[in-house]
Amino acid sequence: MGSKEVKIVDANIGIQEQFHLPVMPKEVVKYLDLPHNAVVVDATVGLGGHSEHILHEYPSILKLIGMDVDQAAISLAEGRLCRNGEKVEMVNRNFIHIKNTVNSMGISCVDGIVADLGISSFQLERSGKGFSFTRNEPLDMRMEAGLQFSAYDLVNGMKRDELEYILKNYGEEKFSYKISDSIVKIRAKKCIQTSVELASIISSSIPRKFHPKKIHPATKTFQALRISVNNELDNLETFITQAVEILKQGARLVIISFHSLEDRIVKKMFRKLESSCVCPPDLAVCACSKTQQITMVTKSVLRPEKEEVEENPRARSSKMRVAEGA
C-alpha cells in the first residue's frame, strides 16, 4: 500500500474514504496521447484516480465514460469527478460490455481506452467480501452482483483435483496440492466460512521455511480463487477484443496488469490482433483474410519508475502495454 493517500467525502453514502494513488498515472496520460475533443473510456474506473489525471491533463475532453462492476466504487468516483459536470458519465457494468455500452450512447468509436486490472485498496479493505486474508470476512470474492458461484462455493464444494488445478494455474502456487488437500480434509469436519479461517489453513499447509518473504503465504491462493470466481482471464480476452473494435485509427488502448497471467494474455492478444495473417507458415498464399487491427506502441512491457514505487509500493508489480488502432 502507498504511503500517500487522498481523501474523498461521498455525500450519497456518508463516509470519508481514503484511497491510494493510481498506478503509473504519468505514463497513462502520456501514452493515451488524446486529441482535442476526445472521447475516452476508463474501463475500470475504480475510485476515479486515473480518470482524474486524464481530465486534468486533457481539459478539452468531450466525454469520459467510466465503467466498473462495483457500484460502491462508482459512487465514490462520481463524488471525486463531479466537478467535471456532464462530460463524465459513469456506468455500473463489467468491461466485457464496453462495445455495447459505448454504442448505446450513440458513439461508434473512441479516442482512447485505459484499463487498470488490479484489485483496488477499497475492494480489499472496505468491500466486506473476503478479498483480504487479514480481515475476518465471509468468503465471497464476487466483484459484481449476479455471479453464480462465490469463493465459499469453490472452497467447500469443489473436488480436490479441481481446487488444485485452480491454485496451480490461476495462482501459480507451488504448494497447490498440499493446500487443496488440507482444505478438503478440514471442510469434511466443518465448512470453511471466512477469509481469516482460509488464510490460516493455507499458511499451515506450506512449510514455514517456504513462506514467502515479501507476501503473505495465502496471497497466491486468494488470487486464484478471485480469478476463478470472477472469470477474470476469459473476461480480459473478451474486453481486449471488444475494445479494439471501437478504437479509432491511431487511438490508444492502455492496459496495466499486476500479475504474469494477465500480462501474458495482454501480450498474446496484442500479438494476435497486430498480425495480418494467421495462416500456416507452409501455405504459399494467404487464405485467412485476416486484417491487422492494432499496432503495438510498446514493444516490451513498461514498468513504473523507481520514485513511484518508493512512494506507492502497490505499483511495484505493475506492467503496462499499449497498442493503437490500425
Side-chain angles (χ1 to χ4, degrees):
M1 299 300 175
S3 57
K4 185 175 180 181
E5 295 180 324
V6 184
K7 296 181 180 179
I8 183 170
V9 176
D10 188 293
N12 296 320
I13 55 180
I15 63 170
Q16 184 181 63
E17 195 56 61
Q18 292 186 334
F19 53 88
H20 298 271
L21 298 173
V23 168
M24 301 178 75
K26 291 191 301 182
E27 291 83 353
V28 167
V29 167
K30 173 185 174 181
Y31 280 96
L32 275 176
D33 193 24
L34 296 174
H36 188 70
N37 287 338
V39 176
V40 61
V41 183
D42 187 340
T44 53
V45 70
L47 303 185
H50 283 117
S51 288
E52 186 173 54
H53 279 269
I54 293 165
L55 288 160
H56 180 266
E57 295 297 328
Y58 295 101
S60 70
I61 279 178
L62 188 66
K63 192 175 193 65
L64 184 144
I65 303 165
M67 299 180 65
D68 206 282
V69 298
D70 189 334
Q71 180 57 61
I74 285 281
S75 297
L76 287 167
E78 285 176 334
R80 186 175 190 173
L81 305 173
C82 63
R83 64 181 177 274
N84 295 282
E86 294 182 357
K87 69 167 58 178
V88 174
E89 185 164 353
M90 294 292 173
V91 184
N92 181 207
R93 297 190 79 186
N94 192 306
F95 68 178
I96 63 173
H97 304 297
I98 186 171
K99 183 178 180 180
N100 178 262
T101 298
V102 168
N103 290 167
S104 69
M105 296 176 182
I107 302 167
S108 58
C109 297
V110 300
D111 300 289
I113 301 171
V114 59
D116 175 351
L117 306 179
I119 186 169
S120 71
S121 300
F122 173 78
Q123 288 169 317
L124 285 171
E125 298 170 9
R126 294 299 300 268
S127 71
K129 293 184 177 181
F131 289 114
S132 173
F133 31 76
T134 62
R135 294 179 176 271
N136 198 27
E137 299 172 341
L139 280 174
D140 190 323
M141 298 193 189
R142 287 175 288 193
M143 289 186 174
E144 59 182 310
L147 291 179
Q148 184 176 5
F149 298 108
S150 67
Y152 175 90
D153 297 321
L154 302 190
V155 168
N156 290 287
M158 276 190 156
K159 296 178 181 178
R160 190 206 57 75
D161 59 333
E162 293 173 330
L163 270 174
E164 182 187 2
Y165 177 88
I166 287 175
L167 304 192
K168 182 178 180 180
N169 289 280
Y170 295 166
E172 299 179 307
E173 174 56 70
K174 294 180 181 179
F175 293 92
S176 56
Y177 176 86
K178 281 184 170 290
I179 295 169
S180 56
D181 192 54
S182 295
I183 288 172
V184 169
K185 288 177 179 176
I186 290 172
R187 78 184 189 196
K189 301 174 184 176
K190 69 179 188 70
C191 290
I192 302 166
Q193 300 195 36
T194 71
S195 49
V196 167
E197 188 179 357
L198 177 60
S200 177
I201 293 168
I202 297 165
S203 296
S204 299
S205 302
I206 302 174
R208 174 66 63 175
K209 65 180 180 180
F210 293 114
H211 279 203
K213 294 181 180 179
K214 294 184 178 181
I215 61 174
H216 191 283
T219 300
K220 292 183 177 181
T221 294
F222 271 62
Q223 171 188 299
L225 291 170
R226 191 199 78 225
I227 287 173
S228 183
V229 166
N230 296 285
N231 198 30
E232 292 180 29
L233 301 185
D234 287 343
N235 285 353
L236 178 55
E237 290 195 16
T238 300
F239 161 70
I240 293 172
T241 300
Q242 287 201 12
V244 166
E245 290 177 358
I246 58 170
L247 273 183
K248 290 180 181 178
Q249 184 176 10
R252 301 279 179 84
L253 170 60
V254 178
I255 301 180
I256 302 171
S257 60
F258 286 83
H259 57 77
S260 58
L261 295 174
E262 290 174 337
D263 183 58
R264 275 185 227 136
I265 288 175
V266 177
K267 182 179 179 180
K268 180 192 75 173
M269 290 293 292
F270 278 9
R271 284 182 173 176
K272 176 182 176 182
L273 293 165
E274 186 177 43
S275 172
S276 59
C277 179
V278 291
C279 291
D282 57 345
L283 197 65
V285 180
C286 176
C288 69
S289 301
K290 185 181 182 299
T291 57
Q292 180 180 349
Q293 292 177 268
I294 64 166
T295 299
M296 283 191 277
V297 176
T298 53
K299 299 303 180 181
S300 58
V301 71
L302 298 176
R303 305 299 297 264
E305 295 178 354
K306 180 181 177 181
E307 292 75 16
E308 179 181 358
V309 175
E310 290 175 350
E311 183 180 20
N312 181 15
R314 178 177 174 265
R316 67 181 179 274
S317 59
S318 59
K319 301 175 182 178
M320 178 187 285
R321 294 186 187 271
V322 185
E324 65 180 22

